[in-house]
Amino acid sequence: MPGDTENTSNDTTNEHIDLALYRQLVKQFIDMRRYATALFWAEKVAVLGGQEPRDIYYQAQCMYLLGEYHRAAHTIQHHKLEKNSLPCFNLLLESLYAAKEFTEAANVIQNVEVEVMTTSLINQPVDASSGCYLESNSVFGGEENHRNELLSSIYLMKGKVYEALDNRGMAMDFYVQALHKSIYCFEALEALVQHEMLMAWEEFELMHHLPLAQQSSEADAKFILKLYESRLKKYYELISARNAEEMSPIVNPDILQFIKEFTARVQQSGTSDTQMPKVSAVKVPLTPSQFMSPAQKVLEDLKAPTFSLQTSLSKASSLIDASHRSMFDSSSRRRSRDHDTDTLIPIAECLDRVQRSTDIMAAEAEKCFYDCDYKQCLKILNELLKVDPFHNTALTIQIACLVENGDFNRLFYVAHKLVDRYPDKAISWYAVGCYYDMIGKSDPARRYLSKATALDRLYGPAWLAYGHSFANENEHEQAMAAYFKATQLMRGCHLPLLYIGVECGLTKNLELAEKFFLQAMNIAPLDVYVLHELGVIKYEYEFFDGAATIFQCTVDIVKQRAKSNNEEISSRWEPLFINLGHSLRKVHKYEEALYNFQYALLLKPQSPTTYTSIGFIHALLGNLDPAIEAFHKSLALNRDCIVTSTILKNCIEDLMDDSATIDEICSAALRDVAKNITANSRRVLNSDKFNGMKLKFDEEEEFANSDSNMVVEMSFDT
């Protein structure tokens, strides 16, 4: 009827849809991780709301959470929000990065100036003079104190994009700026530290220049520094320590002073051919194009780094606006104290409680690992993994500890568990590759380690282990190629440089090996492995006095660390004492050399080479009897050693040529003869009683001596 139609029309016009209710519903579904449902309603809200930026943002965010990264990026770009709103620009970068569209993300970064963009998701009026949106304090991101957090997130994503494009200089610069925009942006610090982008001194410099005073209270600054400093390098010791607190308790100040002086002396003498004798080598002239080997190129890149921390710090400081405080600045904290005092914790109690944090425990375990205290390291890790069985940093350290201890059964269990639960993570296949490498199966080890590097190209430990799998089979070129890649990824780590130097030494390129060891020593001056390998190079150069000094310094550090850890020196240091003994032998310090050889024998008993070394020292000292005894023990363990057999033969000949030895042998023989005569005379006296008796075997002997052809006549009595 006409009247009913009119009433229905009036009821429809009086009914309304509350978009605020649906927007809140979208947020609730996102919090409940019902992303498909949230996307359904977000798209409807965007249509009903006239495509407002905040509705488009939540629609794109639901797409991102569903893993539809290209769709999310297209939604933002279609509405041209990347140039108007910081939250939308941030989401666009995250979507392109997740979709692995790194080149497109870099183009977007270059075309957008984030410093003049608005943080609001609501349509803003445009300033006619500047063409920029006018900021208002409303909704998510509208408040000024959120701006730095958004900018920090954007700079973080810029760093990730450029790092994926192998432009690590730009990436490091953006990470530093992200950390300065917001000191709470932990991911920026993690990228710098975990990916080994900074040298040790640069890490300390970065901590010193953090804008803690501008963005936090004094108590917060102490808390943040406590957490951040636990993430820094664990193997670095300050050579020029300013006070006793900065000096490690396991390092002797005399050793620190020696290393400082020795490093300067060696680096100065590296350019001089008169300081140390060089081994004879054929000089190969360079081609007219001045061909540069990959190893030399790495050294040149180290001399001319693409990143300057001072430049990044200056740029970051210039971008800090005093009015742009962090959302956790001191003023907001003072306001919050008026409303809630139950959340306030005294700083002393806070620092004590945080020691139970899994991240702090992992940092302590890593420190024990670099101090070679593997027992304590595993103890801490066992407690940590009970709380968080899949803590990524802790698992990486645990795998390294199991490899060091040779516990392949436990490593097999850990690798199997990781592959079952996280087959798409690089650490899972890294553990599998380490297991196969430990049991001597290089082919499957390389296959699984290669898979780990394919899953995460920035995972440095997998590249190092991949190089080890080639080095174990003396494939030096392939091993060095893997180490070169690790050097590019781990600028602030000394291990790739150390391993490249080892491979250069094995190929008898001693000069290049020494340069790599010195570069590694600049990063980690007190690393015992670097010192040991540098001593080996000095020995190969026939600079025996310097080699002995370096080896002795390394031994002192090893002993002090073992004493500090309340444990015995590990058998893995047996080659160190052997090398020290040979260096001392070369400089004619035979007694000291003998002491070190005997100490090496305590670390690894039944070692034929150690017995040979001990015998050689005894022979040089003129103690031929103990020398011959040591050589016999060596040959009992390794009968095919030609060197030991030759020296033993010479020692026996020298012993026989000695007149005193001949007199001793003769006198011993005369004593034996006298004993035999006395024994025979006694037997003669005792044999008189048997005279006249003819024994049965005597008759048999006479019969045997008779003519076998003799005919014997036999008669029988009848």
Side-chain angles (χ1 to χ4, degrees), residues 114-297:
V114 297
E115 294 294 337
V116 297
M117 291 170 59
T118 176
T119 60
S120 177
L121 290 171
I122 296 181
N123 289 323
Q124 304 294 328
V126 180
D127 186 1
S129 60
S130 63
C132 299
Y133 282 79
L134 297 176
E135 191 74 23
S136 67
N137 296 329
S138 58
V139 194
F140 165 73
E143 292 82 358
E144 192 67 26
N145 57 15
H146 287 278
R147 183 179 180 84
N148 276 2
E149 275 60 43
L150 276 171
L151 288 174
S152 176
S153 178
I154 290 173
Y155 281 121
L156 173 67
M157 291 310 304
K158 287 182 177 181
K160 288 185 176 182
V161 168
Y162 279 104
E163 186 176 12
L165 293 173
D166 288 332
N167 192 339
R168 297 177 68 82
M170 290 286 291
M172 287 185 280
D173 183 62
F174 282 125
Y175 287 143
V176 172
Q177 293 185 45
L179 196 57
H180 270 67
K181 281 295 181 181
S182 174
I183 59 174
Y184 299 94
C185 186
F186 167 75
E187 290 180 74
L189 177 69
E190 183 73 358
L192 289 169
V193 175
Q194 198 66 26
H195 295 171
E196 302 287 354
M197 290 187 173
L198 299 179
M199 301 293 183
W201 67 268
E202 290 176 331
E203 292 180 354
F204 285 102
E205 189 75 10
L206 179 63
M207 292 294 102
H208 181 69
H209 285 86
L210 284 180
L212 296 172
Q214 292 83 3
Q215 300 185 20
S216 67
S217 64
E218 184 177 355
D220 292 325
K222 294 180 180 179
F223 179 67
I224 294 171
L225 282 178
K226 172 69 176 178
L227 296 177
Y228 283 2
E229 288 179 353
S230 68
R231 312 294 297 186
L232 305 184
K233 288 181 174 55
K234 311 301 186 301
Y235 53 79
Y236 182 80
E237 298 288 348
L238 291 175
I239 292 183
S240 56
R242 291 185 292 271
N243 51 57
E245 295 180 355
E246 292 182 354
M247 190 175 297
S248 173
I250 62 173
V251 179
N252 192 326
D254 296 336
I255 297 176
L256 288 172
Q257 183 64 24
F258 164 76
I259 293 179
K260 182 178 180 181
E261 296 175 354
F262 177 78
T263 304
R265 187 170 68 250
V266 169
Q267 290 177 342
Q268 292 176 358
S269 62
T271 58
S272 173
D273 295 332
T274 59
Q275 293 293 329
M276 59 186 71
K278 306 286 185 181
V279 291
S280 59
V282 179
K283 299 295 184 180
V284 180
L286 292 176
T287 61
S289 60
Q290 294 294 310
F291 173 76
M292 183 179 294
S293 68
Q296 293 171 334
K297 186 177 184 303

Side-chain angles (χ1 to χ4, degrees), residues 370-404:
Y370 282 112
D371 287 343
C372 304
D373 189 3
Y374 304 116
K375 182 178 179 181
Q376 180 65 18
C377 179
L378 286 174
K379 181 179 178 181
I380 297 174
L381 290 175
N382 290 334
E383 297 178 2
L384 188 158
L385 294 174
K386 290 179 182 178
V387 180
D388 187 358
F390 300 102
H391 193 283
N392 194 69
T393 304
L395 287 172
T396 303
I397 302 171
Q398 184 190 33
I399 293 170
C401 272
L402 295 177
V403 171
E404 286 291 338

Side-chain angles (χ1 to χ4, degrees), residues 59 89 123-124 131 133 220 313 341 403 461 649 661 666 718:
Q59 181 184 356
F89 180 70
N123 289 323
Q124 304 294 328
Y133 282 79
D220 292 325
L313 291 175
T341 58
V403 171
K649 180 181 178 182
T661 303
C666 292
T718 55

Side-chain angles (χ1 to χ4, degrees), residues 77-95:
Q77 290 177 313
H78 176 72
H79 294 88
K80 296 180 173 55
L81 298 178
E82 71 276 8
K83 295 183 179 181
N84 303 329
S85 174
L86 285 177
C88 292
F89 180 70
N90 182 42
L91 182 57
L92 174 62
L93 289 183
E94 290 191 4
S95 300

Side-chain angles (χ1 to χ4, degrees), residues 451-686:
K451 185 173 183 178
T453 58
L455 290 173
D456 186 358
R457 296 188 308 108
L458 304 178
Y459 192 53
W463 284 105
L464 293 178
Y466 188 59
H468 295 342
S469 65
F470 288 106
N472 292 337
E473 296 187 350
N474 295 324
E475 299 183 15
H476 305 295
E477 296 297 331
Q478 292 87 341
M480 291 178 69
Y483 296 147
F484 289 150
K485 182 62 177 179
T487 304
Q488 297 174 3
L489 298 176
M490 308 168 71
R491 171 179 173 267
C493 184
H494 69 292
L495 293 178
L497 300 172
L498 170 63
Y499 297 139
I500 294 173
V502 171
E503 295 302 315
C504 290
L506 293 175
T507 56
K508 298 304 179 182
N509 195 340
L510 302 182
E511 183 176 358
L512 202 58
E514 183 186 19
K515 292 180 180 179
F516 276 105
F517 290 146
L518 291 176
Q519 287 290 340
M521 196 173 180
N522 288 335
I523 300 175
L526 294 181
D527 186 85
V528 288
Y529 299 101
V530 177
L531 291 173
H532 178 264
E533 295 300 330
L534 187 59
V536 172
I537 292 299
K538 296 304 174 187
Y539 188 92
E540 293 288 339
Y541 270 132
E542 299 182 3
F543 187 35
F544 303 119
D545 194 8
T549 306
I550 297 176
F551 286 137
Q552 186 62 58
C553 174
T554 310
V555 166
D556 292 340
I557 296 177
V558 169
K559 287 183 176 180
Q560 290 176 14
R561 285 183 174 175
K563 183 179 179 181
S564 176
N565 298 332
N566 295 321
E567 62 179 14
E568 298 295 332
I569 296 178
S570 173
S571 60
R572 66 172 52 86
W573 298 115
E574 182 247 1
L576 172 61
F577 288 90
I578 292 291
N579 292 336
L580 175 57
H582 284 301
S583 300
L584 293 172
R585 173 180 61 82
K586 286 290 188 177
V587 294
H588 308 293
K589 297 181 180 180
Y590 300 130
E591 296 293 342
E592 298 179 22
L594 181 61
Y595 169 79
N596 285 280
F597 287 139
Q598 292 173 343
Y599 200 100
L601 193 62
L602 292 176
L603 296 179
K604 189 177 180 181
Q606 305 301 316
S607 174
T609 56
T610 307
Y611 277 119
T612 300
S613 301
I614 292 175
F616 192 29
I617 293 297
H618 280 301
L620 293 175
L621 291 173
N623 304 326
L624 297 180
D625 288 335
I628 293 174
E629 181 181 359
F631 290 139
H632 278 300
K633 291 181 179 180
S634 176
L635 291 174
L637 298 171
N638 183 14
R639 59 193 299 179
D640 298 327
C641 183
I642 300 177
V643 175
T644 306
S645 301
T646 303
I647 302 176
L648 175 61
K649 180 181 178 182
N650 293 333
C651 288
I652 293 176
E653 291 177 354
D654 292 342
L655 189 64
M656 295 303 298
D657 292 340
D658 192 358
S659 58
T661 303
I662 297 177
D663 293 340
E664 183 178 355
I665 294 175
C666 292
S667 61
L670 291 175
R671 288 195 298 271
D672 292 340
V673 170
K675 291 180 181 179
N676 291 334
I677 293 175
T678 304
N680 291 334
S681 62
R682 291 177 180 175
R683 286 197 294 271
V684 170
L685 293 175
N686 293 330

Side-chain angles (χ1 to χ4, degrees), residues 292-480:
M292 183 179 294
S293 68
Q296 293 171 334
K297 186 177 184 303
V298 171
L299 289 174
E300 291 298 324
D301 292 341
L302 291 173
K303 293 179 181 179
T306 59
F307 171 75
S308 173
L309 180 64
Q310 288 80 5
T311 303
S312 294
L313 291 175
S314 300
K315 185 186 300 183
S317 300
S318 63
L319 292 176
I320 293 179
D321 188 346
S323 63
H324 291 170
R325 299 301 182 110
S326 170
M327 63 183 297
F328 297 107
D329 65 358
S330 57
S331 60
S332 63
R333 287 183 177 272
R334 285 193 296 269
R335 290 193 300 268
S336 65
R337 291 175 185 175
D338 299 334
H339 300 286
D340 188 4
T341 58
D342 296 335
T343 60
L344 300 180
I345 305 175
I347 183 62
E349 183 179 355
C350 181
L351 295 178
D352 181 63
R353 288 185 184 181
V354 81
Q355 294 296 328
R356 297 189 292 271
S357 169
T358 54
D359 291 331
I360 298 296
M361 294 175 66
E364 184 64 26
E366 186 179 2
K367 182 69 169 64
C368 293
F369 177 81
Y370 282 112
D371 287 343
C372 304
D373 189 3
Y374 304 116
K375 182 178 179 181
Q376 180 65 18
C377 179
L378 286 174
K379 181 179 178 181
I380 297 174
L381 290 175
N382 290 334
E383 297 178 2
L384 188 158
L385 294 174
K386 290 179 182 178
V387 180
D388 187 358
F390 300 102
H391 193 283
N392 194 69
T393 304
L395 287 172
T396 303
I397 302 171
Q398 184 190 33
I399 293 170
C401 272
L402 295 177
V403 171
E404 286 291 338
N405 292 334
D407 191 354
F408 54 86
N409 289 326
R410 177 66 179 171
L411 182 58
F412 174 82
Y413 171 76
V414 172
H416 199 279
K417 181 176 64 174
L418 286 173
V419 170
D420 286 343
R421 290 164 174 79
Y422 298 102
D424 296 332
K425 278 193 172 184
I427 189 175
S428 303
W429 302 106
Y430 166 67
V432 176
C434 289
Y435 168 76
Y436 280 105
D437 187 60
M438 183 186 296
I439 63 177
K441 295 184 178 180
S442 297
D443 289 337
R446 293 170 192 162
R447 184 166 63 252
Y448 292 120
L449 290 171
S450 177
K451 185 173 183 178
T453 58
L455 290 173
D456 186 358
R457 296 188 308 108
L458 304 178
Y459 192 53
W463 284 105
L464 293 178
Y466 188 59
H468 295 342
S469 65
F470 288 106
N472 292 337
E473 296 187 350
N474 295 324
E475 299 183 15
H476 305 295
E477 296 297 331
Q478 292 87 341
M480 291 178 69

